[in-house]
């Protein structure tokens, strides 16, 4: 660097406090530690995964021949060994998502509306409804496996039934969806609640003066007011449901046959148990693309409504 | 609100609470029953004979299921990752919130984009990377990869942006460099946000299930969540032991939640709102 450049830079720095001073490398230095991790465990694996998906990548074998798009083609070829199992697992994921998302959008909203008023003990109730969410899926899984046990479980004892909650359809689905709603309801409810509190009071007063009833108030003030929050809740809930794994792994173990084995469960099994990583990587990319498309569609839906 | 409606409404709230709490109470009560009583039909609510036998079995020396070891592993992994997240995320969030520089929007956009990529896509290549690094079956596998938390950077950036500029300018006029501004002005002002992120990171890692069940192999390197899976398999007929294990895994999380409820809930709702 020439002396002149150094001087102009020094002059710049004194003339422009905080915001513009950083034509230097300082901001990049601050970012280095994070980006080392980001590059190593986000970017690199994303690219590496694509590479793997183009190979017949068996972890246990020395040779990993390049096979181009074969792994992807196999997923669309009814004659291939993976076709049935893969689409069966995608269907399981689909069933779970379609069944759980509407409940996880509506029930938490009802709960949030219930505790939206100011009353003594509100913080307590909010904490109680949120509590199961702070427990991990492992705890939730072994606990409900026991509660739902067809012979010894408390659920059948309380209801006085002998329902095969974990071993037969549609009960296994009802169990998985029910447990998930119980477990994660508090998360969405808390976000709705924060959104509700951001809606200006005056809007409700205006609606009241216009003579709208409770329902009109809900439709014309509450719902539009929740729109920004709703976008987050919808995307987050869809992605989480589509990534369901632990509940089925621990509660139904895929039962009755492989009907409740979700896509993530099957991918994990293929890649990390049977070590067919090329095929598993191809599946995970297909699933990711599907989810990104769904996220895009949701974004669009929210935008055109404006 | 009329009195009758008020009562009806509290009844609904309490009824709901019961649904959320009862399974957890059942877990604790079962853990202090005898194996015979736990599988009795119809079940008893309160134990006829209170016993700590199940906990004894878990903490027995030389057991096939070293729960104490799992507990310590969980504690180390969760604390280690929370500390790492706080360091790297706060350092990254500072320039993203408070400085202008070339490529800023691109970098931040890249970080944000990863919030929409299902983490599972990366699990297979990450498994191979961890293998290359020689970290399979060690706690490093649990601590380091997850610390590339896009959520952490995003969350802290939002908070840093809300801090007043005057303090920073005053420090600069007194001759402070960027590092001093960061450590002496920004971080002290951000204690609530840092505490919230630390807690959320800790809980997330404490509860992580899918990643540890695949990168850890030997019983001594397990954390509690994969350990519970083993307990369920090993003691299928001894439910008090399984429930005692579940209680050991949930009590620290629940305690932390009760103590820091406001931070956790606010952190969660804030991250959703500004998303």
């Amino acid at each position: 660097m020439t002396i002149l450049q150094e001087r102009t830079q020094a002059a710049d720095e004194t003339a422009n406090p905080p915001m513009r001073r950083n034509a230097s490398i300082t901001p990049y230095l601050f970012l280095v530690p994070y980006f080392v991790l980001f590059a190593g465990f986000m970017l690199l694996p994303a690219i590496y995964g694509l590479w793997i998906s183009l190979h017949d990548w068996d972890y246990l074998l020395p040779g990993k021949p390049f096979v181009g798009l074969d792994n992807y083609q196999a997923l669309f070829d009814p004659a291939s060994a993976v076709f049935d199992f893969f689409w069966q697992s995608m269907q399981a994921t689909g069933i779970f998502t379609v069944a759980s998302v509407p409940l996880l959008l509506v029930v938490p909203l009802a709960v949030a509306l219930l505790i939206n008023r100011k009353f003594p003990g509100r913080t307590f109730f909010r904490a109680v409804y949120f509590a199961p969410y702070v427990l991990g899926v492992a705890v939730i899984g072994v606990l409900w496996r026991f509660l739902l046990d067809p012979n010894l479980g408390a659920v059948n004892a309380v209801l006085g039934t002998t329902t095969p909650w974990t071993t037969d359809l549609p009960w296994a689905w009802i169990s998985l969806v029910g447990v998930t709603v119980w477990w994660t309801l508090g998360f969405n409810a808390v976000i709705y609640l924060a959104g509700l509190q951001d809606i200006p009071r005056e809007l409700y007063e205006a609606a009241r003066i216009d003579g709208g009833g409770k329902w009109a108030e809900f439709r014309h003030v509450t719902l539009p007011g929740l729109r920004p929050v709703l976008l987050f809740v919808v995307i987050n809930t869809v992605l989480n449901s589509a990534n369901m794994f632990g509940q089925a792994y621990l509660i139904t173990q895929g039962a009755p046959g492989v009907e409740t084995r979700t896509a993530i469960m099957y991918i994990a099994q293929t890649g990390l148990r049977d070590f067919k990583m090329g095929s598993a990587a191809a599946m995970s990319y297909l699933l990711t693309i599907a989810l990104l498309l769904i996220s895009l569609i949701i974004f669009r839906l929210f935008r055109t409504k404006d | 609100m009329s009195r009758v409606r008020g009562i009806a409404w509290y009844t609904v709230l309490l009824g709901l609470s019961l649904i959320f709490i009862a399974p957890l109470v059942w877990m604790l009560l079962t853990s202090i029953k005898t194996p015979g009583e736990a599988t009795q039909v119809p079940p008893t609510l309160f134990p006829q004979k209170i016993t700590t036998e199940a906990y004894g079995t878990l903490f027995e020396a030389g057991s096939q299921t070293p729960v104490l070891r799992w507990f310590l592993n969980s504690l180390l992994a969760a604390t280690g990752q929370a500390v790492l997240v706080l360091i790297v995320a706060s350092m990254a969030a500072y320039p993203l919130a408070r400085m202008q520089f070339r490529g800023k929007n691109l970098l931040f956009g890249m970080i944000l984009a990863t919030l929409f990529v299902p983490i599972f896509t990366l699990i297979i290549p990450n498994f191979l990377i961890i293998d290359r690094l020689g970290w399979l079956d060690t706690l490093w596998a649990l601590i380091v990869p997850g610390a590339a938390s896009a959520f952490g950077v995003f969350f802290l950036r939002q908070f840093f942006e809300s801090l007043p500029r005057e303090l920073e300018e005053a420090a600069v006029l007194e001759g402070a460099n960027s590092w001093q501004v960061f450590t002496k002005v920004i971080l002290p002002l951000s204690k609530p946000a840092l505490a919230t992120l630390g807690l959320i990171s800790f809980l997330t890692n404490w509860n992580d299930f899918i990643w540890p069940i695949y990168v850890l192999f030997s019983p001594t390197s397990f954390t509690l969540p994969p350990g519970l899976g083993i307990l369920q398999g090993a003691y299928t007929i001894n439910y008090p032991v399984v429930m005692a294990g579940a209680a050991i895994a949930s009590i620290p999380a629940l305690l932390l939640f009760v103590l820091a409820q406001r931070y956790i809930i606010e952190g969660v709702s804030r991250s959703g709102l500004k998303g």
Side-chain angles (χ1 to χ4, degrees), chain A residues 77-139:
Chain A
D77 174 9
S80 82
V82 289
F83 180 86
D84 284 337
F85 285 134
F86 175 67
W87 289 105
Q88 201 286 319
S89 73
M90 288 288 271
Q91 189 192 329
T93 292
I95 291 173
F96 179 77
T97 307
V98 168
S100 67
V101 169
L103 287 173
L104 282 170
L105 294 181
V106 174
V107 182
L109 180 58
V111 170
L113 290 170
L114 196 66
I115 51 177
N116 186 34
R117 326 177 193 194
K118 287 215 182 322
F119 61 93
R122 182 169 80 160
T123 327
F124 167 78
F125 287 112
R126 192 180 65 164
V128 166
Y129 303 152
F130 192 81
Y133 185 74
V134 302
L135 302 179
V137 73
V139 169

Side-chain angles (χ1 to χ4, degrees), chain A residues 19 21-22 28 41 45 52 59 114 117 119-120 125 129 134-136 145-147 182 229 267 280 288, chain B residues 1 9-10 13 17 19 26 91 98-99 102 120-121 124-126 128 131 178 207 214 232 239 250 273:
Chain A
M19 250 348 215
R21 193 167 60 100
N22 302 292
Y28 304 104
F41 301 106
I52 293 167
Y59 184 70
L114 196 66
R117 326 177 193 194
F119 61 93
F125 287 112
Y129 303 152
V134 302
L135 302 179
R145 171 103 187 86
F146 176 43
L147 290 168
W182 173 85
V229 174
I267 295 171
T288 302
Chain B
M1 193 173 3
W9 179 59
Y10 262 107
L13 286 176
S17 310
I19 296 174
W26 189 257
M91 283 179 69
R98 315 290 288 192
M99 296 176 186
R102 192 184 284 269
F120 193 79
T121 321
I124 286 164
N126 260 332
L128 294 170
D131 182 25
S178 299
N207 288 328
Y214 290 111
Q232 183 175 262
Y239 272 108
S250 40
L273 285 183

Side-chain angles (χ1 to χ4, degrees), chain A:
Chain A
M1 202 190 280
T2 68
I3 291 171
L4 187 67
Q5 271 176 322
E6 269 176 27
R7 281 216 184 124
T8 39
Q9 200 187 344
D12 262 358
E13 284 184 14
T14 44
N16 301 295
M19 250 348 215
R20 285 219 10 229
R21 193 167 60 100
N22 302 292
S24 65
I25 59 163
T26 314
Y28 304 104
L29 288 179
F30 273 99
L31 283 157
V32 164
Y34 179 78
F35 265 93
V36 169
L37 292 179
F38 186 79
F41 301 106
M42 290 276 196
L43 284 185
L44 178 66
I47 298 160
Y48 193 25
L50 268 180
W51 175 255
I52 293 167
S53 75
L54 302 175
H55 292 75
D56 185 5
W57 194 290
D58 190 326
Y59 184 70
L60 301 174
L61 294 177
K64 295 163 176 59
F66 179 81
V67 294
L69 294 174
D70 280 8
N71 285 324
Y72 292 90
Q73 242 160 27
L75 299 178
F76 293 101
D77 174 9
S80 82
V82 289
F83 180 86
D84 284 337
F85 285 134
F86 175 67
W87 289 105
Q88 201 286 319
S89 73
M90 288 288 271
Q91 189 192 329
T93 292
I95 291 173
F96 179 77
T97 307
V98 168
S100 67
V101 169
L103 287 173
L104 282 170
L105 294 181
V106 174
V107 182
L109 180 58
V111 170
L113 290 170
L114 196 66
I115 51 177
N116 186 34
R117 326 177 193 194
K118 287 215 182 322
F119 61 93
R122 182 169 80 160
T123 327
F124 167 78
F125 287 112
R126 192 180 65 164
V128 166
Y129 303 152
F130 192 81
Y133 185 74
V134 302
L135 302 179
V137 73
V139 169
I140 298 308
V142 298
L143 171 58
W144 282 96
R145 171 103 187 86
F146 176 43
L147 290 168
L148 293 167
D149 188 289
N151 302 315
L152 318 162
V155 173
N156 271 342
V158 168
L159 300 177
T161 55
T162 51
T163 310
W165 292 110
T166 55
T167 49
D168 205 357
L169 297 177
W171 308 109
W173 283 126
I174 293 171
S175 303
L176 291 172
V177 170
V179 168
T180 306
V181 170
W182 173 85
W183 177 36
T184 61
L185 178 156
F187 182 88
N188 284 354
V190 157
I191 291 172
Y192 280 136
L193 196 59
L196 288 173
Q197 278 155 20
D198 274 1
I199 300 174
R201 295 245 155 267
E202 303 84 65
L203 291 180
Y204 285 103
E205 277 154 29
R208 220 159 293 152
I209 290 163
D210 286 348
K214 282 270 169 214
W215 174 245
E217 221 174 277
F218 178 74
R219 271 204 55 188
H220 298 296
V221 181
T222 309
L223 273 187
L226 283 179
R227 161 101 41 100
V229 174
L230 208 56
L231 175 63
F232 172 83
V233 174
V234 171
I235 297 235
N236 200 48
T237 308
V238 169
L239 289 183
N240 283 337
S241 301
N243 279 297
M244 196 271 266
F245 170 84
Q247 299 95 306
Y249 186 90
L250 288 161
I251 298 174
T252 61
Q253 283 137 2
V258 291
E259 284 85 348
T260 58
R261 179 168 70 179
T262 61
I264 301 283
M265 254 172 106
Y266 182 58
I267 295 171
Q269 218 171 334
T270 309
L272 301 170
R273 280 276 178 272
D274 305 340
F275 293 120
K276 299 197 181 323
M277 293 177 157
S279 179
M283 292 177 205
S284 68
Y285 275 91
L286 202 62
L287 180 62
T288 302
I289 292 168
L291 294 180
L292 287 178
L293 281 178
I294 291 170
S295 303
L296 266 180
I297 292 170
I298 296 169
F299 267 112
R300 267 286 162 82
L301 285 177
F302 270 81
R303 199 183 300 159
T304 49
K305 268 190 189 168
D306 276 326

